[in-house]
Amino acid sequence: MSRLRIHFSILALAAGLVGCAEPFASRDEVQFTVLEERAACFAPFPTTCYQVIWPGESESKFFSAEIEGFTFEPGVRQHIRVERRRINNPPADGSSYHYRLIRVILRLEVGSATATN
């Protein structure tokens, strides 16, 4: 009887700890520009990546993570604000961040002078 009670207590404790575990370590908001074309990249396998320009930088960098709520549009450059959350124990072949679109700040159709916000 007491062994059964101990096993049940351990299971209840483990279930409580798993249920309360927060998958994200921290969160912040960042802005960057998503260029109008994707590019072939390797992350960690051949795929296509966004090309983004981070604030304070002049050259684009590959960005392989998905952005929840964001719709890429070929031919449209978009400056966006996203919520960035650091993932606890990320997969070895994945991003250590989860990104969620907060809003599109500026849309610019490349090849035209049309900008919307």
Side-chain angles (χ1 to χ4, degrees):
M1 179 77 163
S2 65
R3 287 179 84 184
L4 181 61
R5 186 176 294 154
I6 290 172
H7 287 294
F8 180 74
S9 297
I10 291 172
L11 286 174
L13 178 62
L17 291 175
V18 170
C20 295
E22 174 62 41
F24 302 111
S26 63
R27 98 178 250 307
D28 63 346
E29 291 183 6
V30 295
Q31 294 182 33
F32 52 85
T33 300
V34 180
L35 298 187
E36 60 278 2
E37 294 179 3
R38 289 187 177 185
C41 66
F42 192 87
F45 47 84
T47 187
T48 56
C49 293
Y50 299 121
Q51 297 181 81
V52 302
I53 300 175
W54 290 91
E57 300 197 7
S58 59
E59 293 192 24
S60 65
K61 295 195 173 11
F62 292 140
F63 185 90
S64 62
E66 289 300 315
I67 304 169
E68 179 185 335
F70 176 71
T71 301
F72 175 78
E73 298 177 63
V76 178
R77 187 173 291 194
Q78 300 183 66
H79 188 73
I80 62 176
R81 175 182 286 281
V82 298
E83 176 185 69
R84 176 175 64 178
R85 291 184 176 186
R86 181 175 284 284
I87 299 171
N88 287 327
N89 304 314
D93 61 349
S95 175
S96 54
Y97 290 100
H98 175 265
Y99 295 87
R100 184 183 61 82
L101 179 70
I102 295 172
R103 75 182 196 104
V104 175
I105 297 168
L106 181 69
R107 291 180 73 253
L108 177 65
E109 292 182 26
V110 176
S112 74
T114 306
T116 58
N117 55 1

